[in-house]
Amino acid sequence: MTLDSKIPKGPLKDKWTDYKNKINLVNPANKRHIDIIVVGTGLAGGSASATLAELGYNVKTFCYQDSPRRAHSIAAQGGINAAKNYQGDGDSTYRLFYDTVKGGDYRSREANVYRLAEVSANIIDQCVAQGVPFARDYGGLLDNRSFGGVLVSRTFYAKGQTGQQLLLGAYSAMNRQIARGKIEMFNRHEMLDLVIVNGKARGIIARNLVTGEIERHSAHAVVIASGGYGNVYFLSTNAMGSNVTAAWKVHKKGAFFANPCFTQIHPTCIPRSGDYQSKLTLMSESLRNDGRIWVPKNLVDAKLIRERKKKPTELSEDERDYFLERRYPAFGNLVPRDVASRAAKERCDAGFGVNATGEAVYLDFAASFERYGTEQAKIHNLVNPSKEKIIELGQEIVRAKYGNLFQMYEKIIDENPYETPMMIYPAVHYTMGGVWVDYNLMTTIPGCYAIGEANFSEHGANRLGASALMQGLADGYFVLPYTIGDYLADDIRTGKIPTNTPEFDEAEKSVKDRIDFLINNKGTHSVDYYHKKLGKIMWDKCGMSRNEAGLKEAIEEISELRKDFWKNVSVPGSDKQFNEELAKAGRVADFLELGELFAKDALEREESAGGHFREEYQTPEGEAQRRKEFQYVAAWEYKGEPKDAVLHKEILEYENIEVKERSYK
Ligand SMILES: Cc1cc2nc3c(=O)[nH]c(=O)nc-3n(C[C@H](O)[C@H](O)[C@H](O)COP(=O)(O)OP(=O)(O)OC[C@H]3O[C@@H](n4cnc5c(N)ncnc54)[C@H](O)[C@@H]3O)c2cc1C
């Protein structure tokens, strides 16, 4: 099969506008004859459902939670990007496009990214109109902060709860349509297969998670908005329920999967405490605006701190290594996530880690307390304030900005981050890979679309902070509602899609057979036993550091584990009731298949990209190869934007790589 991305011709900046002007439309009176299934109610699925229903389509929306507003998007903390240039600091559509392509290690599809940057400003207007309470400055204007990998402040935020507030906006828009009957909402329903009729996606098989009933649902198009699959690693910052099932089912029915091994390892997460943990917690990247990342300069201090014989606050400035500021002075602590994660891992691997497992670095706010406190003392005309007073004033400012994050940290670690620096370590956070889509966001199955984190998206090998919410809402509010019409224009006379057909029979049977097997197997191991084992293989062999031998082992081990799962898994309870173990079993079975594809993709990719290192490149020959790669990246940069390539120049200089202008092939 040849992949056709359907990128419109013409200059990058005109593509989307020209395309929209010429695309097929479905007239308002005909939209009511067309049904669309949306799987997912996060920011992508929620915004798409609301908009498609507002346009007049009949929408059926599914989620496995008890309410659309419990989708994982609710967890997003830090913010959402948009090229509004409210700060007047040089932002523009082009700069957001450029940052995103550069941040993604030049592996994103540029036409999609440009469109994303173009519609980003509309998202903020849309959400403000819905009443989303974005942070505002003293004068009442929308406030911004900065995220990694950029030199401007373009991140809109609602304290540390941006996802929740945006989701409430999308949910209210959905609710209006639910009340009008334009959205039929199926809470606590899990899509377990895609139904294809005559080569087109025409429906799904879903399980009612409360009663266990298997249901058939038909439509003229199916939209997958089921989120990311970071939980393939078992431990991640994702919600416990986040899974790959819907995306995997469409893949198994013929939709291509792109870049499965591109996973984002977020630098600022609460470190793992031991082997009996089922969840990792993110500390928002926004904290890197004010926190400084460091480890002890001397191994001896690191050891004493690990043994709790010394406190971090006892180390003088000279005894600390602010390694990001040292290596990348222009971006400092706000380098992109992949760069920050790799640097933290490198320091910990070299023995400078600061917690018991040796896998933690500090995120320290002491300098910010002092900086903000001094400013506040001036504002309040305090003459000769004491150091304690300054710190107190500074802490108030930090509390107002990030109070809930500090509170969360203290609850989990039981240490006061106002007194002792936070400890952080990289953790699995987001999956750039996903279902392959063309410019219309259609998969390789006609009529089956993928939006939000579920698709392989615009983020290349590394997503910049605050860009996932932007992409999900761009897809749902502003892109899919146009592009889906182009396909559905052929369906205005098709009529209802029947569900009593052999295609539905067959899909339903395979779903039922699998459930019967899982519930009746009564093996010896729990579902979590397999999930944990898979996660360990994934982290050890397909994590940040990868090598050929390890990846080959991973492929073997995952395949063996999968065989064992289908022999020995045990699922308690029945399939005629709410049974979370059964739902989890199905999801883990799909992770066990995805994991293998993931490792195969990583093996094929003879490159270091995003947060992933191929260790072979650490040998002299490998290093030469790696250098070539950096030069390749640099060549692109230096050709297009000679003056703006500060970050990569710093990386290149640090790694002692000669920077030359070269032609880009
Ligand atoms: C802790 C954390 C903080 C983050 N902070 C930020 C941030 O500040 N800024 C930013 O831009 N990004 C952030 N991200 C990333 C961002 O939150 C996600 O990428 C984004 O919310 C994904 O949205 P989505 O709509 O694609 O999927 P989700 O929000 O994951 O929604 C998936 C939906 O699909 C449904 N679903 C899944 N499978 C099925 C199935 N088989 N059947 C039926 N329904 C199904 C679920 O019920 C759910 O409704 C953060 C991520 C994490 C983990």
Side-chain angles (χ1 to χ4, degrees), residues 592-608:
L592 281 162
E593 293 181 5
L594 165 79
E596 193 174 328
L597 182 77
F598 192 121
K600 284 182 176 158
D601 177 38
L603 181 64
E604 287 277 309
R605 246 170 229 290
E606 294 182 342
E607 61 172 7
S608 294

Side-chain angles (χ1 to χ4, degrees), residues 40-41 43-44 64-65 72-73 76-79 191 429-430 453 466 468-469:
T41 59
L43 286 175
Y64 58 73
Q65 290 92 350
H72 156 69
S73 291
Q77 300 170 349
M191 169 195 163
H429 179 63
Y430 180 91
E453 193 174 340
L469 304 186

Side-chain angles (χ1 to χ4, degrees), residues 120-318:
S120 67
N122 303 356
I123 297 172
I124 304 303
D125 297 342
Q126 166 96 354
C127 297
V128 169
Q130 288 170 344
V132 171
F134 284 122
R136 289 176 183 266
D137 65 16
Y138 180 75
L141 299 173
L142 295 185
D143 199 11
N144 291 128
R145 55 189 175 201
S146 198
F147 264 53
V150 303
L151 296 170
V152 294
S153 285
R154 64 161 74 98
T155 305
F156 294 78
Y157 63 101
K159 220 174 181 182
Q161 309 172 340
T162 315
Q164 180 173 358
Q165 299 306 330
L166 291 171
L167 193 59
L168 287 171
Y171 173 64
S172 343
M174 274 184 81
N175 259 342
R176 195 174 104 79
Q177 301 303 330
I178 292 172
R180 288 179 65 215
K182 291 303 290 180
I183 296 181
E184 206 180 336
M185 188 61 227
F186 294 88
N187 298 331
R188 287 270 186 235
H189 274 67
E190 182 162 30
M191 169 195 163
L192 293 177
D193 209 354
L194 178 76
V195 181
I196 298 184
V197 181
N198 294 332
K200 293 180 172 180
R202 291 303 200 188
I204 64 169
I205 304 295
R207 177 165 179 265
N208 178 328
L209 293 170
V210 177
T211 63
E213 208 175 317
I214 304 297
E215 300 173 4
R216 303 175 178 198
H217 295 273
S218 69
H220 299 91
V222 175
V223 180
I224 303 297
S226 53
Y229 51 82
N231 281 344
V232 67
Y233 284 89
F234 185 67
L235 284 181
S236 89
T237 63
N238 290 7
M240 293 295 284
S242 294
N243 68 85
V244 77
T245 291
W248 194 248
K249 297 304 182 196
V250 303
H251 171 57
K252 289 192 81 172
K253 282 280 167 91
F256 280 26
F257 217 88
N259 306 342
C261 78
F262 282 170
T263 315
Q264 175 156 87
I265 319 278
H266 196 297
T268 57
C269 302
I270 297 185
R272 199 172 57 90
S273 61
D275 288 338
Y276 295 97
Q277 197 170 338
S278 53
K279 175 88 188 74
L280 291 174
T281 307
L282 173 80
M283 289 281 100
S284 167
E285 173 162 314
S286 58
L287 293 170
R288 285 200 273 146
N289 274 276
D290 286 310
R292 298 178 70 196
I293 294 179
W294 64 276
V295 288
K297 213 177 250 175
N298 304 313
L299 281 169
V300 130
D301 285 333
K303 185 164 178 291
L304 289 172
I305 286 178
R306 278 200 296 275
E307 290 166 356
R308 295 193 157 254
K309 292 181 182 150
K310 206 165 192 176
K311 291 186 183 155
T313 43
E314 287 167 22
L315 260 56
S316 69
E317 283 296 301
D318 283 352

